[in-house]
Every structure is written in structure tokens, then in C-alpha cells.
Amino acid sequence: MADADVNPLSLQEKLIRYLRTGTEGSFFLPGKNKVFRMFGNVIKVMIEAGQGPEAVECIKRVNAEKSYLKREPLLYFLAVATHSSNEPTKKAAYIAVNEVCENPVDLFTWLKHVKDLSQLTKGWGAGLRKTVTKWYHSRDPMLIAEFVTRYVSVGRWHHKDVFRLSHMKPENDSMGFIIKVVCKGLKAAKEGYKEPSEDIQNLIAYFDGVDFVKHSDDSFAVAMKMEELGLHRQHIPVALLSSKEIWNSLLLNMSVKDVMSNLPALARRAFLTIPAEGGDADKVVKEIQSKVLTKIKDSKAIEQEKISPFFIYIAIRNYVRVFSRQERREKSHKAGSAQKREAATNTELNEPTSAKKKKKKKMKKERGEGDGESKDKQNEEEANATEKATKNNPDLFESMHSAFKVAVEKNLPCTGKRYLIAVKASVSELGKGIRGTPSISALEVMALMATFYKKKEKSPDLGFFTASLTHMNFPKEMENIIAEIGQRAAPVPNLACDPAAPITWALEKKRKYDAFILLSDGTETHGEVRADDKLQEYREKMNLPDTKMVLCGLNAPRLDFAKAAGMLDIGGFDATVPEIIYRFITDQLDH
């Protein structure tokens, strides 16, 4: 993270950056992590400066705009505000809880942070009790009924605990019935309503239906009840998630993004497999496949849901991995059988094999044959898995790639900026997954980013860098970019990798760029000149004071190169990273 004295952002800009990314500085760590708890000084400083209510307004604004990439940092800062000793801030934060916490997952996450900050061991204060009570009573009872059955618990929090700690007193019969169901059970709750009103009858029918789903082993009847009540996946017992009828009903209310996320689950159960020639597919399986294809082919929905092409590419790779794992299991099974036969033969002949195998493996390693052999084997496995995935359902595979093209066309913005994309890859790292997204390799990320900038921006440049940069011509297709970068890959991962090299090259060639995007899969080291000093020199000599630099270490848990304004370090990669880069380059990350 950039030091405080070189980070020119105002307090409010730092807060906005934190709410959107989970960091108030210049180092962004994608994926699920708790690093955001290391930061948080900015809101405390704002509260001490009397700007607490303004900080709460920022939280509400970012939530309303849905401009956050991680939700928990936003809830954490809301908890910090509610824990404040500043009364105006505390009051504003408590009022905001009802708006910001949209479901029990949000509410319980916020409560967890409140407890961690205050170290509560007994009871709740009046403000906390009132806020939680208002949260439940301000929502429609049928929605609360869905919440208490769909999100039974989050972390260690249960609705029963929340009702008890908040001293919940129902403001109407419907809420009273729900509280009794949660605290005493459905049977006891029904006994208290001999002549239930229409609202209570609707709640009874809903809870009866959920109870039936939880205890029935009739997948067809459960699927019918799901469609009748509009139930979700969280309502379904794990044992029933292998049922085709259940998935057929679940798909009705799934978004395109949800469908893509669940492709591996459907593939593992063979619900996406086209029968062999001459064979007839099961009727329900046919319906599942039809619904999946309809969703994925819906280009308008892809645009409306703003699905990133990176997300779709990752979904494709996760789908392919199902077949890769199947192939490995098959090979492992065959290899295991062969080893047993060999062991039996060696036992009969009294020939030890372990020492010979170790010696042979050591000799191969010394000759440098192991890595190449392993890489060839990996490439072969990947090719076989892709072929199997294609044959498994050709229409689906083609539709996923079509959806990918739609997302590139519709959901990737154009900045109109001038870019230099500099990549650095190591031979030993080419086929490995990256931090945050193990299903894709560093090489694929580099090729994807290069492809997208080429398609969306005017005339980006591409280069391969280590201690210096070599300019590359843009191949027409992504596969060719992968091959081009692969051919230039450094022989060892720890070869000098100087982040200042692309800027040095641009200065020597007098090329004008608005942004340097560096993607590396190895260890970055400082060269003779630090990257921030070189960037400042470039800005002055080229008269481009706003030129920015982004360094993405695809396998780096920590980076510390962004020492000046207009610099950003990213450790790892996931579908949120391109959006972060776009907002940073276009000055939308902090405003």
C-alpha cells in the first residue's frame, strides 16, 4: 500500500475507495480475504474530525449505486460507525442499517462486526435492540418468512438468537407468528391460532410447504412445491440436490450468471450430457438442457446483468475442469490397477522397484526432462478435457463462447486511452492456476487482457518484459497471443523482472501512453531505478502528468510498488480486477 504521505487522496476519497475495493490505499487484493480489516483508519479519522455523518452518507451512496466489488468492507465500516462514541454518527449509522442491510446475510455480518468491535459478552444496548427490531418489522412478513427459512443461520448467528438478544416484541400478528415458529417450532405456533386470519393462513401454508420440502424424499413432489412457493436452493436439503426434478425447478428463477456458476454442478450429474447417437435423453434432462441454453443465449439478459466476459471465461474453464478431473480419475484408476499388477509380479520375482524409480526420476530431473514432460502431459490433458466438454454438449459449448463474445461487445467499456500492456511469464508457471482464480492460468489472463484492449481501444501496444521490454506485434486471435507469449516466456520464475522497464522503453522510443498495464506471474524486483521515480520522470519529459501505472502480480499475495499518485498494485486476479483497472484509469475509483 502506498504510504500516507504519498497518497494524495482526501479522506472522503479514501473512504469511497475502501467501500468499493476493501482498501483505502493503493494495493488491491482480489478474492475472499479479511485483509480489509487491516485498514479502516480513514473512517475513524473522519469521525474524530466531526465528519462521521458524512461518512455514513458515503456508505449509503455506495450501497445504493451498487458500485462496491466486495460487500463485507461496506458492512464493516457501517459497524465501525455504529460503534462510534460520536452520537450524531452513531444515530446516522443505526438509521442506515435498515437500508444497507438488505437480507439476513448482511444483517448478521454487520452484527458480527459490531460484536467484534465492542467485544459484547452480555445483552445489547437500546440502540442496537431498536435497530434490529425495526429491520424485521419494516419488511413484509412473507419476505421475513422466506428469510428465516432460506437463511437459517449465517456464521454463528441464528434468527432465534437475534430475537432473544433484541427482546423482540411483535408489532403485528404476522410477525408474532413468525417469531413463535422460529423460537418454539411450527406445531406450537399453529396451536396459538385456532382461527387464523388470512395473513396467518398464508404464512402457515408457506411454513408447511418449507417443512414438507425439508423432510420429504419425493423429489417430484418437492419440485412441485418449490415452484408453487418460489423456493430457492438454500431451502433444499443437500440429499435432494442430485435430483434432476429439483434442478429443473431451480432453473426457473435463476439468472444467467447463476446458471453459468452452476454449470459444473449440472455437468457432474450428467444433466448436460447429450446422449450418444441413436439414444434418447430423459425428458426432464432435456428440459434442463433447454432451460440452460435459453438462459445462456439471452444476449439482452447478459447485457442487463452486466456480466463480465472474464466471468464467462472463468465459467467455461470451470466447466471444462469437470471433464479434466474425470479424466484424471480414470487415469488414476488405471494406473492404480497397473501398479498393483506390477507389485505382484515384482514380489514374485523379488525385484525391488522403488529405488529404481527414484533413481530414474532423479536422472530425468538432472537432464531437465521432467518439467517438459510434465508440461506436455498437462497440455495433453487440457486438450482432451476441452474435447470431451465440447462433445458432451456441442450446443452448450458454442453458446458459452457466443455469450462470451456478447459480453465483450456489450459489457466492456472503451476508455479512449493510450495503453502499453506489458507482460512477463515464466516457463515453469505457464500451466498453473493464479491466485484468486485457480481455474485459469497466468498466460490466459495475459492473453485475455491483451485481446480485450486490442478489441476495445484504439491502438494499444503490447510488450514482453523482464529487465527490459521487447515490443510485440498483436496477433489477430487470442490463441495466437497465448502462443506468442508462451514462446517468449522466461526460463526461470525468478529472472529479473523490473516494473520500470516498460516505462524506460517508452521513454527511449518517445511513445505517449495514458496508462501502463503490467501483468506478471513471477517475482517483481526493483531495478536500478524505482518504478515510481521512472513514472514521474516519464510524466515530466513527455508532458503527460496524468499517466497511470497498474502492476498486477498474478501470483502475488503482497506488492509494494505503488509509491506515488496514479499507481495501483493488484495481488492476484479475478473477474473484479478489470473493473478495478477501468475505474482507476478513468478516475472513477474514488469519486
Side-chain angles (χ1 to χ4, degrees), residues 28-32 308-311 313-314 433-442 444-450 452-453 517-520 550 552-557 570-581:
F28 174 62
L29 192 65
K32 295 180 180 179
S308 162
F310 292 90
F311 177 87
Y313 187 85
I314 291 167
I434 58 172
R435 193 187 179 286
T437 315
S439 59
I440 59 176
S441 68
E444 289 174 291
V445 172
M446 294 171 188
L448 280 166
M449 293 289 280
F452 294 155
Y453 279 110
I517 310 295
L518 279 61
L519 302 162
S520 170
V550 178
C552 185
L554 300 173
N555 289 312
I570 301 175
F573 193 93
D574 64 11
T576 66
V577 169
E579 180 67 15
I580 283 283
I581 294 175

Side-chain angles (χ1 to χ4, degrees), residues 298-307 406 410-411:
D298 190 346
S299 56
K300 286 185 179 179
I302 291 171
E303 184 177 2
Q304 288 171 355
E305 291 183 34
K306 297 179 180 179
I307 302 176
V406 170
K410 303 290 186 181
N411 298 339

Side-chain angles (χ1 to χ4, degrees), residues 449-504:
M449 293 289 280
T451 301
F452 294 155
Y453 279 110
K454 180 64 176 175
K455 286 182 180 293
K456 302 301 289 190
E457 303 298 344
K458 290 180 180 178
S459 54
D461 284 328
L462 177 65
F464 188 93
F465 78 102
T466 49
S468 59
L469 182 132
T470 305
H471 186 260
M472 297 167 59
N473 292 322
F474 263 103
K476 291 183 178 180
E477 300 297 332
M478 181 180 145
E479 290 78 9
N480 297 335
I481 296 177
I482 290 178
E484 183 76 16
I485 297 174
Q487 288 175 6
R488 295 173 182 268
V492 289
N494 59 355
L495 191 67
C497 176
D498 183 5
I503 308 173
T504 301

